[in-house]
């Protein structure tokens, strides 16, 4: 690969390392008034994200017959932090956090290996792989939290005595709280689908410059690339620039 591609992938991997280290702070940021819960969240998140890191490396090796795929390592290693997000405040055993995080790593890696190419073949573009890192693991994490409410009647808020509201002050039983979890999942899905549809309609408006599908991940027309000798499109660069300029001129007119 070219020097430009190596620098882009290397920078993305550094970003993955930074996210891996600080992901527990994302999950615990809103719990600033309870240090006990913050410690629990950090512990559960690190256990889950460590497990997803191990299972992501193992799964990508199995999928690609002994080799690893960079995009899967960059993203699926973080899936444990996503999938544990809803349940990280619960007083769960360490093996539960490891199990949930491991499942997240496997599901995310398999999504990148199998589902992502399938969606691409259908015409769905997910340039950042958000569906495989945040969408599916996030949905599974919410389902795990809903199931956890059925397992322990005193564990459905923020667990026992270190919580904003003790279980004695709540008038919901575990079945009702399970229903609230499911309702929250449905509402979140509905909001994401509606806003996604609106966004898709907006970017198809004539005033938005059109980008060819094969050029969506190419930076040369919009960014200064220091490696001037690298252009993945070869001779198509000038032709593409003319198309963008013509579209912009038509929009202004």
């Amino acid at each position: 690969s070219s020097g430009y591609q190596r620098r882009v992938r290397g920078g993305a991997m550094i970003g993955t390392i930074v996210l891996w280290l600080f992901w527990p702070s994302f999950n615990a940021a809103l719990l600033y008034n309870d240090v006990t819960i913050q410690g629990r969240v950090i512990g559960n998140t690190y256990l889950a994200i460590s497990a997803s890191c191990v299972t992501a490396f193992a799964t990508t090796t199995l999928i690609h017959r002994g080799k690893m795929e960079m995009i899967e390592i960059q993203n699926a290693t973080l899936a444990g932090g996503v999938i544990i997000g809803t349940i990280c405040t619960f007083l769960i055993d360490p093996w539960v956090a490891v199990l949930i995080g491991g499942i997240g790593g496997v599901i995310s890696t398999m999504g990148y290996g199998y589902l992502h190419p399938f969606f691409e073949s259908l015409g769905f573009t997910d340039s950042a792989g958000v569906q495989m890192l945040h969408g599916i693991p996030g949905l599974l994490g919410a389902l795990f939290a809903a199931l956890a409410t059925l397992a322990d009647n005193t564990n459905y808020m923020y667990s026992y005595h270190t919580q904003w509201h003790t279980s004695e002050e709540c008038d919901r039983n575990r079945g009702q709280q399970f229903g609230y979890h499911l309702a929250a999942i449905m509402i979140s899905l509905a909001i994401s689908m509606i806003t996604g549809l609106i966004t898709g309609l907006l970017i198809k408006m004539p005033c938005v410059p059109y980008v060819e599908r094969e050029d969506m991940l190419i930076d040369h027309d919009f960014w200064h690339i220091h490696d001037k000798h690298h252009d993945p499109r070869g001779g198509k660069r000038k032709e593409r620039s003319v198309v963008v300029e013509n579209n912009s001129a038509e929009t202004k007119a």
Side-chain angles (χ1 to χ4, degrees), residues 85-118:
T86 308
I87 198 176
C88 62
T89 55
F90 283 39
L91 189 61
I92 56 178
D93 292 329
W95 68 267
V96 177
V98 172
L99 177 62
I100 292 175
I103 292 174
V106 172
I107 294 298
S108 181
T109 307
M110 294 183 67
Y112 280 104
Y114 297 114
L115 285 180
H116 189 70
F118 174 70

Side-chain angles (χ1 to χ4, degrees), residues 239-252:
E239 177 183 351
R240 173 71 184 91
S241 299
V242 172
V243 172
V244 174
E245 292 174 0
N246 290 340
N247 286 341
S248 299
E250 292 176 0
T251 301
K252 292 179 180 179

Side-chain angles (χ1 to χ4, degrees), residues 222-237:
F222 307 101
W223 296 88
H224 289 291
I225 305 301
H226 296 287
D227 190 352
K228 298 181 180 179
H229 301 289
H230 171 65
D231 187 350
R233 289 170 303 185
K236 296 183 179 180
R237 182 176 178 180

